[in-house]
Amino acid sequence: MKRTSLAAGLTAAAVVVLALTSCAPAVHGPSTATTHPHVTAKPKPTATQAAAPSVRVPVKCSSLFSDAVAAGLIDSPVKVHRDETTPVVDITDIVQRQYGSLDCVWGGDRQDGGYVQALTIDITPDAAAGFAANLAGFSSDNAPVTLNTAGDKSVYGCIVQGDLDCVSNMLVGSYWVTANIQVLSGSSATLAAANARIQQVLTTVASALGAAKAGPAWNPPGAALPGFCSAAGSTAQVNTALGVTDFTVAGEDQASADAASYTQLPGVYTQCTWQSAGGTSAFTYASIAMLRGGAWVLPSLPGQLNSRAYMLGAYTAMAIPGATSAAGNCSTAANECLVAVSIGSLLVVISIDDPSTAQSTAALTKLVAAITAS
């Protein structure tokens, strides 16, 4: 069974000010004086932010590459798109949208929740510091590399060994761009051709961004994240919630830093994972991700399919005691339960085994209570 990976504002009150002009005194008896009515200044409420965040990058995916051009880059017809209009369902995509990043995908055939062929581009605003902090690591992750051929700074590396894999990162102003080309099999491209393809991508994106100004940040409402993922007693609470005794904290696979992962900011996003040491109980795994202010996404989830959770169906509305609202999909056949709940303005995404509806519901209820109390 393949597990689903769970990767990573203050609304100003309207202020009404009524300013009254001075009025002329009342006139008694006949008079030719002209009286002036009271004049009331129009109220000027302070602007409030939108109820839900939107992409802050003033570029559309379709303006970067047509399907025909993208098909030439990935050696396959484009069958799947993800762009600024795509509803976000998976926690990694929700975090990106809340930050305001642009996530573009031109995909070919799908396999196990991913793509056999794909061009992916992530553009994150206000990320120059993150790019600089990770610049040294780009070369070591993707050697040999080509440096500074587009934007303000850039680095890319391609490997062609039956598969074709190009990874690139670029800085354009304050935008961090990560662009990848992947063809898992069947590409006849040479290394020189692969390099030319990723160079074309970087040049095109750099030209499109130019001096484009990012939209304003969306400030996530709500208090600080609960301390559940860092609390010393959380492991015991997870064991109790799942009716097991041998769960321990498990490390997550760490991918290379990129424009997408940069949006998983400390204080806004956190994740923690546990697994069974022996794997003999009904529950063997638990993962919890939390996003401050992310409750805005809950109303849009029912009916949506999480394409990254390839063994699960579409989300449905659920009732989890203690949660403000909930939506998810649980499957005893896949032995997985993936549920998003809101606790006030907080979004919590929980992934656990699904040995039975009764057991998973009871476990979810206890986990929500423990997170709420933390």
Side-chain angles (χ1 to χ4, degrees):
M1 182 186 74
K2 184 180 176 71
R3 285 288 176 191
T4 301
S5 175
L6 304 180
L10 299 175
T11 303
V15 178
V16 179
V17 179
L18 298 180
L20 301 180
T21 61
S22 60
C23 304
V27 178
H28 301 280
S31 174
T32 58
T34 302
T35 60
H36 300 279
H38 291 336
V39 178
T40 304
K42 294 182 179 180
K44 297 179 179 179
T46 301
T48 59
Q49 69 177 13
S54 58
V55 174
R56 299 168 54 201
V57 180
V59 172
K60 297 184 183 299
C61 297
S62 59
S63 69
L64 295 174
F65 295 100
S66 66
D67 283 0
V69 173
L73 294 171
I74 66 174
D75 295 328
S76 171
V78 174
K79 301 177 181 179
V80 181
H81 293 92
R82 189 159 70 237
D83 61 21
E84 66 280 354
T85 68
T86 303
V88 288
V89 183
D90 186 79
I91 183 62
T92 56
D93 302 324
I94 296 168
V95 174
Q96 275 190 272
R97 179 64 55 82
Q98 180 159 306
Y99 186 91
S101 296
L102 178 65
D103 178 23
C104 304
V105 176
W106 294 262
D109 299 311
R110 292 192 63 85
Q111 178 179 314
D112 295 349
Y115 300 94
V116 177
Q117 312 91 1
L119 165 63
T120 63
I121 299 174
D122 294 291
I123 305 175
T124 296
D126 301 333
F131 180 92
N134 289 280
L135 180 58
F138 297 151
S139 296
S140 60
D141 288 341
N142 305 294
V145 297
T146 302
L147 299 174
N148 300 329
T149 60
D152 299 314
K153 292 182 180 180
S154 67
V155 54
Y156 72 78
C158 292
I159 297 174
V160 178
Q161 295 175 344
D163 299 346
L164 184 157
D165 187 25
C166 291
V167 178
S168 68
N169 285 277
M170 174 175 65
L171 183 68
V172 181
S174 67
Y175 294 104
W176 180 351
V177 180
T178 298
N180 300 330
I181 298 175
Q182 170 185 285
V183 182
L184 292 184
S185 62
S187 177
S188 59
T190 62
L191 179 58
N195 287 340
R197 292 183 191 185
I198 197 66
Q199 179 64 53
Q200 177 185 351
V201 172
L202 293 179
T203 301
T204 300
V205 175
S207 176
L209 288 175
K213 183 179 179 180
W218 191 83
N219 299 310
L225 286 171
F228 189 78
C229 280
S230 58
S234 293
T235 298
Q237 291 179 296
V238 172
N239 275 315
T240 299
L242 302 181
V244 297
T245 60
D246 63 347
F247 263 35
T248 57
V249 175
E252 288 284 321
D253 294 336
Q254 295 297 315
S256 301
D258 57 22
S261 64
Y262 178 76
T263 64
Q264 299 170 9
L265 299 176
V268 177
Y269 176 83
T270 190
Q271 180 188 343
C272 40
T273 304
W274 295 263
Q275 65 184 22
S276 169
T280 58
S281 61
F283 290 99
T284 63
Y285 173 92
S287 182
I288 295 172
M290 292 183 281
L291 177 63
R292 182 164 69 91
W296 56 268
V297 79
L298 257 297
S300 66
L301 290 182
Q304 297 292 338
L305 181 68
N306 186 343
S307 60
R308 299 183 193 270
Y310 75 101
M311 294 183 69
L312 299 178
Y315 275 30
T316 59
M318 303 174 67
I320 305 296
T324 307
S325 60
N329 185 279
C330 297
S331 168
T332 54
N335 193 27
E336 183 172 7
C337 195
L338 181 62
V339 179
V341 305
S342 61
I343 303 173
S345 61
L346 175 72
L347 173 67
V348 181
V349 178
I350 303 172
S351 177
I352 57 175
D353 305 87
D354 187 22
S356 72
T357 300
Q359 287 173 290
S360 59
T361 300
L364 289 166
T365 301
K366 293 178 181 178
L367 288 172
V368 167
I371 293 167
T372 302
S374 66

